[in-house]
Every structure is written in structure tokens, then in C-alpha cells.
Amino acid sequence: MKATVPYVEKKFDEFNQQMFGGTLPRIPILLSDAKTFLGQCVYRKRRDKSGNVICYDFRLRINVRIDLPEREVEDTIIHEMIHYYIHYNQLKDNSAHGSLFRKMMNDINMKYHRNITIAHHSTKEQKEELVDKRQRYHVVAVVTFHNGKIGIKVLPRVLPSILKYYNQVSSVKEVSRVQLYMSNDIFFNQYPNSAALKVHYVEADVIDEHLRKAAPMACDGHSIRYI
């Protein structure tokens, strides 16, 4: 299922009474299409006159990009409500999912037969749902190494960034070749767009499959042209 605002509000009220003693004030519910999280409890911080950090302006974000079983949606809401409870009450924990968070999570799991976890482990099908299916053009660098490994990098479509990446990576002694392509294959949507030197290793046959219709580009270190 994919959550709606009325659904999340209803579950928030239900879990608030059941698990948090009805102590949590309602907060705005925001639906998100993000690829990086299932839920988030977000807030602002300020310091009071004594120098203590005060959390305020809480909001609950729930992802609706991915279709989850209702039980997992509920557990995601409860997970974020634990964060809300801790920060709303200005409680101290030793990390984002520290000992206090884990104790509350384990207590709720035991008492109410839930399956709340620290991190959500998506199935293969769920991960595929998170991939952006919109067709867009990417500059793709295929980096071949002397040891036979092949990596890809999706670059910003900005000439100085492309040239800088090409020249830096080409000068690495472990690299035997850097080839640039322009592609609109949605396969490349899953990779972050950046000029960082890190590459993502992919099997050669997978790269060949998704670059079959791509336009190769020649680069001399100063300019780029289509071949």
C-alpha cells in the first residue's frame, strides 16, 4: 500500500494512545517521493537562554514512492514516532539510533508484536520501484582498468566538470581507458550525478546492453564532440 495523509494521521493517533500514552501532539504529515528513506522525523533546533538545544517545528515525512505491505508502513510510522518522542521530550541518546531508541523499539516490538527495525531492507522488487523511470539524458563515463574491471560514472552535463573528471581519471595509472557516452537509458537513473572520482563497478555485458543506443563522444582533454 501507499500511505495517504488521513491514513497516517489515523495511525499516528492510534499508536500515540497505545504506545506513547497520548503524550505526542499531532504534527504535520508530509508525503514524500524521495528515493533515500521510508520515513523521517524532521525538526528545527534553537538554543534557549541557558544554552540548551531545543527541538521544535516537528514534521513527519512518509515515503509513497514504494508500495509496501501495510504492516511495514505502520512500523515505519512507529519508528519515526520513537524519534519524535525522544526529541520532543528533549531526551538524550548516544546516537541517532542509540541505546535509548533501541530500548524503546525493542520494548514496543515485544509488547505489541511489532517488527520495527533500525534500517529497512528492501526486496529486489521494492528497490526497482525506487528507480526513477523518467527518461532523461546522462553523460556516462565508462572507465576501464588494467586489471579488467569496468566502472561507470554519471557526470553533470557541464563541460568543465566533464573535462575535469576525464582528465583526472585518465591520469590514474590503474586506468587504461575512459570513454564518454550520451545516453537516455533509464538504467543510469539509479546512479548519483556527480563529478567525484569514485566509479560504480558493473559487468561488461550489462554496460554493453544499456549503451547499445548511446552516442559515443570523443574527448581530447580540452573539448568534446560526438563521434
Side-chain angles (χ1 to χ4, degrees):
M1 69 166 291
K2 295 186 180 182
T4 63
V5 170
Y7 174 85
V8 178
E9 288 177 341
K10 177 183 175 182
K11 289 298 177 180
F12 180 97
D13 291 342
E14 176 185 327
F15 297 140
N16 188 24
Q17 293 299 323
Q18 184 182 37
M19 303 171 186
F20 300 94
T23 61
L24 295 176
R26 263 207 185 185
I27 53 177
I29 306 298
L30 307 175
L31 303 182
S32 173
D33 193 46
K35 296 186 290 184
T36 54
F37 63 85
L38 292 182
Q40 279 187 337
C41 175
V42 295
Y43 51 88
R44 297 181 181 180
K45 294 180 179 180
R46 61 177 174 82
R47 291 190 179 273
D48 62 17
K49 294 181 179 179
S50 301
N52 300 314
V53 175
I54 304 298
C55 301
Y56 70 103
D57 193 18
F58 291 91
R59 287 156 289 157
L60 185 61
R61 292 177 178 167
I62 298 296
N63 194 295
V64 292
R65 174 183 284 267
I66 187 170
D67 196 349
L68 292 172
E70 183 173 8
R71 188 79 174 175
E72 290 188 44
V73 175
E74 291 179 341
D75 286 343
T76 298
I77 294 170
I78 299 169
H79 177 118
E80 300 310 324
M81 290 179 72
I82 296 174
H83 284 302
Y84 178 31
Y85 182 91
I86 290 173
H87 293 297
Y88 175 74
N89 289 287
Q90 311 297 327
L91 302 177
K92 302 296 183 183
D93 205 353
N94 47 21
S95 68
H97 295 104
S99 55
L100 176 57
F101 181 96
R102 291 169 185 264
K103 182 181 186 307
M104 292 183 65
M105 178 186 73
N106 292 334
D107 288 346
I108 290 172
N109 283 340
M110 181 72 68
K111 185 174 181 179
Y112 300 103
H113 308 289
R114 306 302 310 189
N115 190 35
I116 308 162
T117 59
I118 297 299
H120 177 81
H121 301 288
S122 302
T123 64
K124 179 181 178 182
E125 291 75 18
Q126 291 169 348
K127 288 178 180 178
E128 289 175 351
E129 284 188 60
L130 292 174
V131 177
D132 187 352
K133 299 298 194 300
R134 291 172 293 179
Q135 200 168 51
R136 61 187 66 189
Y137 281 93
H138 299 288
V139 175
V140 181
V142 178
V143 182
T144 304
F145 295 84
H146 290 297
N147 62 7
K149 287 188 175 182
I150 301 177
I152 61 174
K153 182 71 179 182
V154 176
L155 297 169
R157 291 175 57 186
V158 180
L159 183 60
S161 297
I162 298 170
L163 292 176
K164 181 179 179 181
Y165 182 87
Y166 181 90
N167 290 327
Q168 286 184 322
V169 174
S170 296
S171 66
V172 175
K173 64 179 181 180
E174 291 84 4
V175 173
S176 62
R177 183 171 182 254
V178 179
Q179 176 63 56
L180 300 176
Y181 296 87
M182 181 69 76
S183 171
N184 64 352
D185 193 310
I186 63 173
F187 170 79
F188 297 106
N189 290 357
Q190 65 185 293
Y191 297 101
N193 186 310
S194 80
L197 296 183
K198 179 182 177 181
V199 300
H200 303 274
Y201 293 108
V202 182
E203 295 297 327
D205 57 343
V206 175
I207 296 176
D208 291 342
E209 176 186 353
H210 292 287
L211 288 176
R212 281 188 296 109
K213 298 181 180 180
M217 298 185 291
C219 181
D220 61 6
H222 304 285
S223 62
I224 298 172
R225 62 178 176 82
Y226 288 106
I227 300 175

